[in-house]
Amino acid sequence: MSSPHDSPAPNPPSKSVAAPASGFTSRIARSFLLLSMLTVAVVGTVAYIQGRNALESAARSRLQMTATLKQKEITRWLESCEEDFLLMAEFPTVKNNIQTLLAAQPDTPAYQQAYESLSAYFEEIREIKPKFTEISIQNKANRIIFSTNPELEGKYEISTNLTEVKSVVPGEKFAPNFYLSPATNRPAITYASKVFNSENQRQGMIIANLNLKRIDDIISERTGLNEPGETYLVGSLSNKFAFLARRDTLLSAREGPQSEGIEAAFRGENGSAIYDNYEGKPVIGVYRWLAAQNIALLVEIGKVEAFAPARNLAASIVIVGLGSVAILLLGVSRLARQLSLSRRQIDRYSRQLEQTAATANAANQAKSEFLANMSHELRTPLNAILGFTQLMQRESDSYGPHHKYLKTISRSGEHLLNLINDVLSMSKIEAGRTTFDPVCFDLRYLLLTLEEMFQMRAEAKAIQLRFKVEETVPQFIKTDEVKLRQVLVNLVGNAIKFTQAGHVTLSVIKTSQTNSRQEDVSNDVTVTESHSLCFSIQDTGPGIDPDEVSRLFDAFFQASKTRKAYQGTGLGLSISQRFVQLLGGDIHVESAPGKGSTFSFCIQAQPADLDQLPVMPLGEVVGISPNQPAYRILVVEDVLSARQLMVTLLSQVGFEVQTVKDGESAIATYKSWHPHLIWMDIRLPIMDGYEATKRIRDCASPPVKIIAITASAFEKERDAVLASGCDDFVRKPFHAHLIFEKMAEHLGVKYLYKNDLPGEISQAAEAFSGEDSKPSEPIDPEHLKVMPTDWLQQLHQAAIEVDAEALQQLITQIPQEHHVLAHSLQQLVQQFCFDELIDLTGAYV
Amino acid sequence: MLALLKHHLKPIRYWLLALLIAFTVLACSADSTTVLEGSKTTLANENTANPDAITMLWDKGYVTEEDEAIEKIVADWNAQGNLPIDLSFYNSGEIAPKTLRASQGGISPDILFAAKSVYPVSDWQGKLADVSDIVTPLEDSYTSTALQSAKVYGSETAKGRYYAVPLNQSTTHIYYWKDLLEEAGYTPADIPTEWDEFWTFWQTVQETLQPTYPGLRSIGLPYSEDAFDTYHIFEHVLSAYDVSLVDERGNLLLNDPAVKSDIAKALDWYLQFYRDGYVPKEAVKWLDPENNRNLLDRNVVMTPNPTLSIPAAVRNDSDIYLEKLGTIEFPNKPSGEPLPHLVSIRQAIVFEDAPHVEEAKAFLTYLSQADVLSDFLKTSYGRYMPPALSQIEADSFWQDADDPHVSTVVKTVTDRQTQPFPNVYSPAYGIVMEQNIWGQAIQKMAINEMSAQEAADWATTQIQAIFREHSL
């Protein structure tokens, strides 16, 4: 039965289950969005980079092609200029006229004629060959004496700017000398050719300025450059980079353009790269150093324009991707909503289940509490009844009808106690609170006492009771003795109860010895031997119907077909089965109607540690041995009857006893009176036993032993009691000898015992030694014949009157040679088996 | 249930993420090879080398005769059955970068002669062939400035070795139109020899001639960072103002605040002619030939020039050469002391990794022979003088008193006080010259109207940075 504290902690996931459904949906949607955005971004990026790379590669090859075309065109154009210039200079009439001009005096007619002729000729040339802007003739002193541009006449041309043309060899290196024309402030090339006289003496030069506009045009033509691209030439004019030609050469030629491409070209490199051009605009550029012409050719296209298609592609992909994501997102959120709906339904169900479980728990709890209370409320008065009955029975002179009544009370009380115990045992089992409490004990003694206990009854019913214990069965074992005993009592009791003739046999064999590994608290693994012991109880009773066998171990079930209804709780077998399971076995039944039944089970038992064996109980205590201190005993008990019982029990023997009704008084008395031992009831008004014990323990001195008395049926309480500081624990109702035993254990009290029964003791000693374990014979009515008829009639009468004292008295009259008989009868009396006694003696009345 | 879902989702999510990353990496790396292919860089075939010839890059002359002179030497050399020389001309702005490109391309030219470039030490250090066997025999006759200049590219460990063959020397002189002076009512004898009076004189000439020639400017000083002439001339101005930037041990002397203030003074003085309109406005854009052209075209009355290229250009016009064009020295310093003229030494170098080092050295040995070199320089119309005074003194060409230009220059070199440019003492100063720090400072003042003090600060900061980075 689980208390609220024991029930499992609320499940953490169940909390998150209760989270709002919208959070769940949005989380799913968020994750989906994140992943899909990432994907779209990656695809877009990859497309852009790939597209860019492809475009860049294409742009580079296109630019390279353009550059090659331009380079060839420029070279061809310069060569054609060269050819035309030489053709013009070497033309015989022209040559002659020039020579005349250079040789003759300006005022001579020959000079005039030559001048005019040249004027006409060069003017014509200039018109049909627009590649020459100005054609001039320089004399030996570098002075221009003729020019198509009259302004130049009389001026000087510095030789360092001239490009001398001697002969044209196609493909040969020919570096035109670019210079900055001081007249136009623009780049210029001036071709020169020497003019020799007939003596091969140089007379002067013919010089022609090239129309570089044509190079500008070549450069500006966008062959293969459909996009906004730019081609230009850069040369080094007076140690500085300068545009030699480009689309808009009107821009100052002396700006000194700088860029990575120009610098690379001027280092003599041919290649392409992405860089910022002279305006700082990022471009894909192809740069070439035209070694023959000593100029750099650059073909560039804006990076932004070149990569626009890649950007468009990436943008389209991203837009389409985002569109798809949006559509998918709708689907995902629908799905998520569905999921959250069904989740909410599950939540509802689980909440209902939780509520149901809580209700069941509460009911169970109530049952548990009821049982606990009942146990207390029933046991406490029963304790008083049985206790006082025992006290009254102690009075040796209490013969007569009262004595008989007392016996009846005692017997009925014991029966009632058994019933209560059964019910409690069952409820403890159901609550899962029955624990396995292994102790070391003498198995053979246990079996002996059982045999003695049942012998009378068996004899009374004229059936044979046989206990067969195999030689190999160990005498001392460690297992839960109480439970094993209860199981055996139950099974043997049942067998005797239902068997009308024949025999009941209990066999014990040891089947095997196994080694089992055990992990103790300190995690040390110890290998211990364990005995497998099999018990079987065979009877010759009516047997059990096969239909009922399967239900035999159900609680409150009573086999009815073969067994007539019998008074009892119907819990015995059920409890036994559970106990056997606790001991590590299982009860099996073999039975057929009319052929008897066999109940068998095997348990695992460890070998006993002999140090832990309990001291054998001795006879009834009548006083304290002399030469011992006067023990002061404090009884703390709120119920008057229980208090009186304890006082009577203890003071009779010779203890000094004081009583108090509650915890507070207990502390006060402890402080003032210094008892040696306190019997502490746990349920007390004002301050309970736990608290009082703790307070007393807090005082530290004087030392005192505290033994708790509780009516609780639960093992759990034992731990709480010990934890509070009690030395030991006794459960109500208790036997008087247990009280004395505990006091002997804790205070070392030595007692005087009433009946010194040598036979019994020797018998017990024999059983203890295990030498003689043969079960006592069941009482055969024939055995009684050794006694006189009168004696038998008295015995019969005493049994009818349930007069244990009278029976005891009569048994003592049995001669020593029939001690077995005396012992058997004694057992029957002790077990309150008066019916059996009546049956046995009935024949003699 | 959600917890369960989450529990399942997590590993899946990581797995998916890993897959996506792997996919991305794979997808992106698949294309990287094509990218690399597209961006493959090759070196342009700058290789001018002919395996069967000595490759020689030569500075294009200012007069055709210069080119003809070296062509004749090469023709003679080739005719002697030597390994022929493949000669190419490049102008002074392009020849050094061209050489660098060829070197980077793997095949350096064998011989380089660049008239104007003062090559950065960092570019040439350790790459030049030791030509001590050519120069050492000439030690007795060559000027100390010429010998010192030939050691500039030597490393610390090779002190005293020569890494360049001096081929000529030149000094900066002032060229002017005598006829224009005459029109203004002056004779060459009227030109003052004292600093301030000298410059005021030319201003007066302009003022006098202005009514007749409204566009005429009297002073042809360059103000452009693109003209090497700018720093050549300004170094003289610094010298006139007693600014010494580098001592003979190569130490930079900029720590004295007085030096900076003197620099500012010199810059301010230089700029006044531009500010006051005695210089053509285009002078801020001039390249090296432009002052030549402007003088020859009679746009300016006078101009200083580092070589005799102006007289050489008109040598074939005896009227101009002998009668109209004049050559004079710089006037005395403002302090009255004579201004020492700065001597430039031009040298040929052989690249150590070139294919024909020994043959190239053989050619330079041939060229350095006194008579060959003398012929070469004379054929070039005397634009440059031989680096040995003995050669000048022994040759009638240089001693011809009737040649007004050569005689003036020879007198300066033989009789007057001269000194080398600072880069001879400190190779780092060569970078200052190569970067035309003074030209830049002057142009900044002329175009951006930067003050003289600011320009001086800027220039000194630059020079200090260059020395910090390149001092060896």
Side-chain angles (χ1 to χ4, degrees):
Chain A
M1 206 159 295
S2 63
S3 73
H5 315 287
D6 292 348
S7 72
N11 234 354
S14 74
K15 275 208 168 138
S16 73
V17 160
S22 62
F24 172 75
T25 313
S26 71
R27 250 182 288 177
I28 292 234
R30 254 206 314 273
S31 298
F32 172 77
L33 254 182
L34 191 79
L35 283 175
S36 46
M37 294 289 224
L38 201 69
T39 311
V40 170
V42 166
V43 171
T45 310
V46 168
Y48 178 66
I49 292 170
Q50 284 277 26
R52 238 180 77 131
N53 287 345
L55 283 170
E56 189 185 324
S57 167
R60 281 174 194 256
S61 11
R62 204 167 53 240
L63 293 175
Q64 289 284 10
M65 199 177 67
T66 309
T68 307
L69 281 173
K70 301 279 179 195
Q71 183 181 356
K72 283 190 174 159
E73 235 177 310
I74 290 165
T75 313
R76 236 189 340 264
W77 186 77
L78 286 170
E79 271 174 14
S80 76
C81 289
E82 224 180 327
E83 281 165 3
D84 289 348
F85 178 71
L86 276 182
L87 194 71
M88 183 175 76
E90 297 295 324
F91 202 67
T93 10
V94 177
K95 224 175 164 181
N96 287 341
N97 280 329
I98 293 172
Q99 279 172 356
T100 310
L101 210 60
L102 287 168
Q105 290 300 311
D107 44 4
T108 59
Y111 184 97
Q112 293 296 332
Q113 197 193 341
Y115 188 97
E116 273 158 34
S117 164
L118 282 175
S119 274
Y121 175 69
F122 284 137
E123 201 54 46
E124 200 180 338
I125 292 277
R126 225 165 55 88
E127 268 167 31
I128 58 168
K129 297 275 183 196
K131 55 183 70 164
F132 300 114
T133 48
E134 282 140 349
I135 304 166
S136 311
I137 293 163
Q138 215 178 13
N139 71 7
K140 230 183 155 191
N142 298 312
R143 187 167 176 231
I144 294 168
I145 55 166
F146 167 87
S147 177
T148 53
N149 178 4
E151 280 182 20
L152 293 179
E153 283 179 18
K155 305 281 183 190
Y156 288 81
E157 188 53 69
I158 306 299
S159 171
T160 195
N161 288 338
L162 302 180
T163 306
E164 195 184 343
V165 183
K166 288 173 182 167
S167 61
V168 182
V169 182
E172 196 197 44
K173 70 183 164 88
F174 172 73
N177 190 356
F178 281 90
Y179 68 97
L180 195 66
S181 163
T184 59
N185 206 17
R186 292 185 51 192
I189 297 175
T190 304
Y191 281 175
S193 179
K194 289 173 186 163
V195 181
F196 297 94
N197 63 10
S198 50
E199 285 86 44
N200 210 23
Q201 287 174 324
R202 181 169 57 79
Q203 295 299 305
M205 305 267 255
I206 171 167
I207 57 175
N209 290 335
L210 258 59
N211 181 4
L212 292 186
K213 181 79 179 64
R214 184 61 204 130
I215 289 193
D216 289 359
D217 293 343
I218 293 171
I219 287 302
S220 310
E221 274 169 13
R222 293 188 174 176
T223 324
L225 268 186
N226 295 323
E227 306 90 321
E230 193 184 8
T231 309
Y232 52 93
L233 293 176
V234 179
S236 158
L237 292 179
S238 66
N239 273 351
K240 253 188 188 175
F241 300 151
F243 287 114
L244 296 182
R246 62 174 185 147
R247 211 183 317 150
D248 303 308
T249 24
L250 288 177
L251 278 164
S252 168
R254 299 180 66 179
E255 276 169 12
Q258 294 281 343
S259 78
E260 203 183 297
I262 293 172
E263 277 159 27
F266 270 84
R267 281 194 303 269
E269 291 169 9
N270 288 346
S272 69
I274 294 179
Y275 54 87
D276 291 350
N277 75 355
Y278 59 92
E279 286 177 323
K281 180 182 161 191
V283 291
I284 306 173
V286 164
Y287 47 84
R288 287 202 180 174
W289 178 248
L290 311 187
Q293 287 81 29
N294 254 346
I295 48 176
L297 170 66
L298 287 105
V299 188
E300 292 167 350
I301 181 170
K303 204 170 130 187
V304 177
E305 291 90 344
F307 292 154
R311 265 198 312 281
N312 293 343
L313 175 67
S316 307
I317 287 172
V318 169
I319 288 166
V320 169
L322 290 181
S324 314
V325 167
I327 293 165
L328 278 173
L329 190 61
L330 282 178
V332 166
S333 51
R334 264 187 81 111
L335 189 71
R337 216 172 309 135
Q338 289 291 336
L339 270 175
S340 79
L341 273 180
S342 56
R343 224 163 48 88
R344 253 180 291 175
Q345 207 154 15
I346 292 167
D347 287 355
R348 254 200 314 277
Y349 290 149
S350 61
R351 261 199 300 278
Q352 280 169 2
L353 277 175
E354 269 172 28
Q355 277 165 2
T356 314
T359 317
N361 261 346
N364 219 356
Q365 183 67 26
K367 180 179 150 197
S368 176
E369 272 169 22
F370 166 75
L371 282 174
N373 285 334
M374 191 186 80
S375 133
H376 186 267
E377 298 303 328
L378 288 178
R379 278 164 179 258
T380 305
L382 199 57
N383 191 41
I385 293 165
L386 290 176
F388 277 106
T389 311
Q390 280 173 21
L391 279 174
M392 287 163 84
Q393 282 174 337
R394 271 171 188 269
E395 303 290 325
S396 53
D397 57 341
S398 60
Y399 291 106
H402 291 296
H403 195 68
K404 272 194 273 180
Y405 302 156
L406 281 175
K407 282 179 176 172
T408 309
I409 292 167
S410 179
R411 207 168 55 239
S412 309
E414 295 278 359
H415 185 68
L416 183 59
L417 186 62
N418 283 342
L419 275 174
I420 291 169
N421 282 346
D422 271 4
V423 171
L424 276 173
S425 291
M426 201 59 221
S427 66
K428 273 161 76 177
I429 288 166
E430 280 183 353
R433 293 170 66 176
T434 309
T435 50
F436 178 66
D437 299 316
V439 293
C440 295
F441 66 97
D442 185 340
L443 175 63
R444 286 179 185 274
Y445 180 71
L446 169 75
L447 293 170
L448 185 67
T449 54
L450 280 179
E451 191 179 359
E452 282 175 353
M453 184 175 138
F454 287 110
Q455 197 61 54
M456 285 287 201
R457 252 199 277 177
E459 278 173 9
K461 289 185 78 174
I463 50 175
Q464 271 196 331
L465 177 66
R466 300 181 205 146
F467 274 42
K468 294 182 184 169
V469 183
E470 221 179 44
E471 290 274 319
T472 52
V473 172
Q475 185 178 356
F476 302 104
I477 57 166
K478 187 177 181 185
T479 188
D480 193 331
E481 182 193 8
V482 176
K483 294 191 178 63
L484 178 63
R485 183 189 175 89
Q486 196 169 338
V487 170
L488 291 173
V489 164
N490 191 283
L491 291 177
V492 175
N494 274 354
I496 293 172
K497 190 159 60 184
F498 294 115
T499 304
Q500 299 308 322
H503 60 84
V504 170
T505 312
L506 168 68
S507 330
V508 186
I509 56 167
K510 184 180 149 196
T511 55
S512 65
Q513 187 160 332
T514 54
N515 290 336
S516 69
R517 290 163 65 83
Q518 275 193 339
E519 225 173 287
D520 63 15
V521 275
S522 58
N523 283 339
D524 292 334
V525 175
T526 54
V527 177
T528 51
E529 284 179 7
S530 77
H531 305 294
S532 182
L533 299 173
C534 289
F535 297 78
S536 84
I537 297 96
Q538 194 184 9
D539 66 42
T540 53
I544 305 160
D545 193 277
D547 296 344
E548 294 180 328
V549 169
S550 58
R551 296 182 56 206
L552 211 53
F553 298 104
D554 291 354
F556 304 105
F557 176 79
Q558 289 181 331
S560 57
K561 289 192 178 170
T562 53
R563 301 176 172 197
K564 61 178 188 205
Y566 185 81
Q567 191 188 0
T569 55
L571 288 172
L573 275 179
S574 182
I575 292 169
S576 298
Q577 176 68 298
R578 304 292 183 90
F579 279 3
V580 169
Q581 284 166 353
L582 207 62
L583 297 175
D586 217 354
I587 302 179
H588 297 280
V589 188
E590 283 172 38
S591 182
K595 290 188 177 171
S597 313
T598 306
F599 288 78
S600 58
F601 63 91
C602 296
I603 59 165
Q604 301 298 323
Q606 289 165 19
D609 182 350
L610 293 181
D611 295 344
Q612 294 176 12
L613 286 173
V615 184
M616 284 298 298
L618 295 169
E620 192 176 307
V621 173
V622 288
I624 301 168
S625 299
N627 304 324
Q628 286 193 81
Y631 292 106
R632 290 181 296 278
I633 310 298
L634 175 63
V635 174
V636 188
E637 172 65 71
D638 59 328
V639 180
L640 176 67
S641 58
R643 202 160 61 237
Q644 282 175 341
L645 171 63
M646 283 300 284
V647 172
T648 314
L649 192 67
L650 295 175
S651 48
Q652 259 188 358
V653 178
F655 290 108
E656 276 184 50
V657 184
Q658 283 207 9
T659 61
V660 290
K661 287 185 240 176
D662 58 69
E664 272 186 6
S665 319
I667 297 164
T669 311
Y670 157 74
K671 285 180 179 166
S672 57
W673 191 54
H674 306 319
H676 292 95
L677 187 140
I678 302 173
W679 286 101
M680 179 76 76
D681 189 20
I682 292 303
R683 279 198 195 185
L684 292 170
I686 305 175
M687 183 191 286
D688 67 14
Y690 298 126
E691 187 59 32
T693 306
K694 277 183 202 155
R695 297 275 182 94
I696 291 168
R697 286 300 177 214
D698 288 345
C699 295
S701 69
V704 64
K705 298 286 179 182
I706 303 177
I707 303 173
I709 304 176
T710 172
S712 168
F714 301 113
E715 294 288 342
K716 191 184 82 177
E717 201 149 316
R718 178 193 176 89
D719 299 333
V721 163
L722 295 179
S724 70
C726 292
D727 296 289
D728 211 336
F729 170 92
V730 168
R731 196 173 275 137
K732 284 181 188 174
F734 47 77
H735 274 281
H737 70 82
L738 184 65
I739 298 293
F740 293 126
E741 223 172 75
K742 291 287 180 193
M743 292 174 71
E745 185 184 336
H746 292 288
L747 293 177
V749 186
K750 292 193 179 74
Y751 301 107
L752 293 172
Y753 297 95
K754 179 191 175 185
N755 296 327
D756 195 20
L757 296 172
E760 213 171 312
I761 292 167
S762 64
Q763 220 174 31
E766 266 173 42
F768 192 67
S769 69
E771 290 299 315
D772 180 13
S773 59
K774 70 176 186 223
S776 48
E777 294 280 315
I779 300 174
D780 191 323
E782 289 299 309
H783 293 162
L784 289 172
K785 286 183 179 166
V786 299
M787 296 305 290
T789 314
D790 179 39
W791 185 88
L792 289 169
Q793 283 174 345
Q794 283 181 32
L795 190 72
H796 183 76
Q797 191 57 41
I800 289 169
E801 291 168 6
V802 203
D803 185 350
E805 291 292 327
L807 288 169
Q808 206 78 38
Q809 193 63 41
L810 287 167
I811 289 164
T812 53
Q813 293 170 14
I814 297 170
Q816 188 60 35
E817 59 263 33
H818 302 300
H819 74 272
V820 178
L821 175 67
H823 178 64
S824 301
L825 289 174
Q826 186 80 32
Q827 286 277 311
L828 285 174
V829 173
Q830 278 173 0
Q831 300 296 326
F832 308 108
C833 299
F834 303 111
D835 293 344
E836 280 86 332
L837 282 174
I838 294 164
D839 289 348
L840 276 173
T841 53
Y844 304 101
V845 178
Chain B
M1 184 170 139
L2 193 74
L4 193 77
L5 191 74
K6 250 186 164 174
H7 180 73
H8 274 280
L9 207 62
K10 259 192 183 161
I12 289 174
R13 205 185 280 172
Y14 288 135
W15 188 77
L16 201 69
L17 205 67
L19 193 76
L20 285 177
I21 290 166
F23 172 62
T24 314
V25 168
L26 200 74
C28 297
S29 65
D31 221 66
S32 62
T33 47
T34 59
V35 173
L36 274 174
E37 223 165 278
S39 65
K40 198 160 64 187
T41 299
T42 56
L43 282 169
N45 185 17
E46 184 65 90
N47 177 16
T48 49
N50 178 344
D52 303 322
I54 299 168
T55 305
M56 184 159 83
L57 305 189
W58 209 264
D59 204 85
K60 178 121 177 78
Y62 268 46
V63 289
T64 311
E65 284 76 7
E66 285 183 69
D67 301 344
E68 287 170 346
I70 189 65
E71 278 169 344
K72 183 178 175 292
I73 301 277
V74 166
D76 290 351
W77 165 265
N78 289 352
Q80 287 168 23
N82 294 305
L83 185 66
I85 288 175
D86 186 358
L87 173 67
S88 319
F89 292 107
Y90 293 94
N91 66 17
S92 51
E94 184 49 21
I95 194 163
K98 181 95 184 165
T99 309
L100 258 185
R101 278 195 296 275
S103 289
Q104 284 161 354
I107 303 177
S108 301
D110 296 299
I111 300 171
L112 170 70
F113 175 76
K116 290 272 181 176
S117 294
V118 183
Y119 316 123
V121 172
S122 46
D123 287 347
W124 300 138
Q125 190 87 55
K127 291 181 181 168
L128 304 185
D130 186 337
V131 290
S132 302
D133 48 345
I134 305 172
V135 181
T136 311
L138 306 170
E139 275 176 349
D140 292 341
S141 54
Y142 280 24
T143 65
S144 61
T145 301
L147 295 172
Q148 184 64 34
S149 301
K151 289 177 183 170
V152 166
Y153 300 109
S155 64
E156 277 295 314
T157 52
K159 263 193 171 154
R161 308 298 292 177
Y162 296 102
Y163 288 90
V165 181
L167 292 184
N168 65 46
Q169 59 173 321
S170 72
T171 46
T172 304
H173 283 78
I174 291 165
Y175 304 92
Y176 69 100
W177 289 115
K178 288 188 204 162
D179 53 334
L180 283 177
L181 208 61
E182 206 172 316
E183 272 188 65
Y186 298 103
T187 64
D190 294 328
I191 302 171
T193 54
E194 294 307 313
W195 188 259
D196 290 330
E197 288 81 349
F198 178 84
W199 297 103
T200 313
F201 172 78
W202 295 107
Q203 287 170 293
T204 316
V205 168
Q206 179 177 324
E207 282 151 19
T208 316
L209 294 174
Q210 201 99 63
T212 330
Y213 307 104
L216 182 71
R217 295 289 177 269
S218 60
I219 297 169
L221 286 173
Y223 287 81
S224 150
E225 61 174 23
D226 296 333
F228 291 120
D229 287 354
T230 312
Y231 75 74
H232 267 267
I233 294 159
F234 187 69
E235 289 289 348
H236 286 86
V237 177
L238 285 176
S239 185
Y241 279 88
D242 290 321
V243 178
S244 183
L245 292 170
V246 177
D247 67 16
E248 292 193 6
R249 300 166 77 184
N251 299 315
L252 188 66
L253 305 171
L254 275 180
N255 292 333
D256 185 358
V259 174
K260 216 188 267 184
S261 112
D262 286 345
I263 290 170
K265 219 184 284 175
L267 284 168
D268 194 50
W269 176 88
Y270 194 86
L271 260 291
Q272 64 172 321
F273 304 109
Y274 182 78
R275 282 196 297 259
D276 298 344
Y278 294 104
V279 171
K281 282 289 160 211
E282 300 77 41
V284 291
K285 294 187 208 162
W286 279 359
L287 303 178
D288 282 331
E290 258 51 75
N291 63 331
N292 294 30
R293 190 201 305 276
N294 273 282
L295 186 83
L296 290 172
D297 288 352
R298 293 173 174 267
N299 295 328
V300 293
V301 184
M302 67 85 116
T303 187
N305 208 35
T307 66
L308 270 174
S309 61
I310 294 170
V314 295
R315 194 177 178 101
N316 288 319
D317 190 330
S318 54
D319 179 43
I320 292 176
Y321 190 77
L322 296 172
E323 304 302 329
K324 293 182 177 164
L325 192 67
T327 299
I328 48 170
E329 293 182 329
F330 272 98
N332 292 329
K333 292 183 186 181
S335 62
E337 290 168 36
L339 177 72
H341 283 67
L342 294 167
V343 179
S344 309
I345 306 295
R346 291 170 184 79
Q347 310 163 84
I349 50 176
V350 175
F351 285 90
E352 199 169 38
D353 61 346
H356 310 294
V357 175
E358 288 312 313
E359 290 86 345
K361 280 164 74 174
F363 172 74
L364 289 179
T365 309
Y366 169 75
L367 179 59
S368 298
Q369 285 173 293
D371 49 343
V372 177
L373 188 63
S374 183
D375 266 359
F376 166 60
L377 295 174
K378 287 189 284 185
T379 316
S380 305
Y381 281 176
R383 186 183 171 194
Y384 306 107
M385 289 169 284
L389 292 181
S390 56
Q391 286 176 27
I392 297 171
E393 282 159 4
D395 198 311
S396 60
F397 178 89
W398 305 109
Q399 297 301 322
D400 182 2
D402 293 338
D403 187 324
H405 311 292
V406 173
S407 61
T408 307
V409 174
V410 165
K411 195 174 84 189
T412 306
V413 173
T414 52
D415 299 349
R416 311 297 288 265
Q417 199 184 341
T418 60
Q419 66 181 47
F421 275 88
N423 68 312
V424 171
Y425 301 126
S426 166
Y429 199 81
I431 296 168
V432 176
M433 292 159 77
E434 184 74 11
Q435 292 185 3
N436 205 350
I437 297 299
W438 297 122
Q440 289 190 56
I442 287 164
Q443 192 177 34
K444 281 176 202 296
M445 288 175 73
I447 294 179
N448 305 337
E449 292 177 352
M450 189 186 256
S451 75
Q453 193 57 55
E454 283 170 338
D457 288 344
W458 177 85
T460 50
T461 308
Q462 297 291 313
I463 292 168
Q464 280 164 334
I466 289 167
F467 268 74
R468 265 199 306 279
E469 199 181 335
H470 294 283
S471 271
L472 302 168

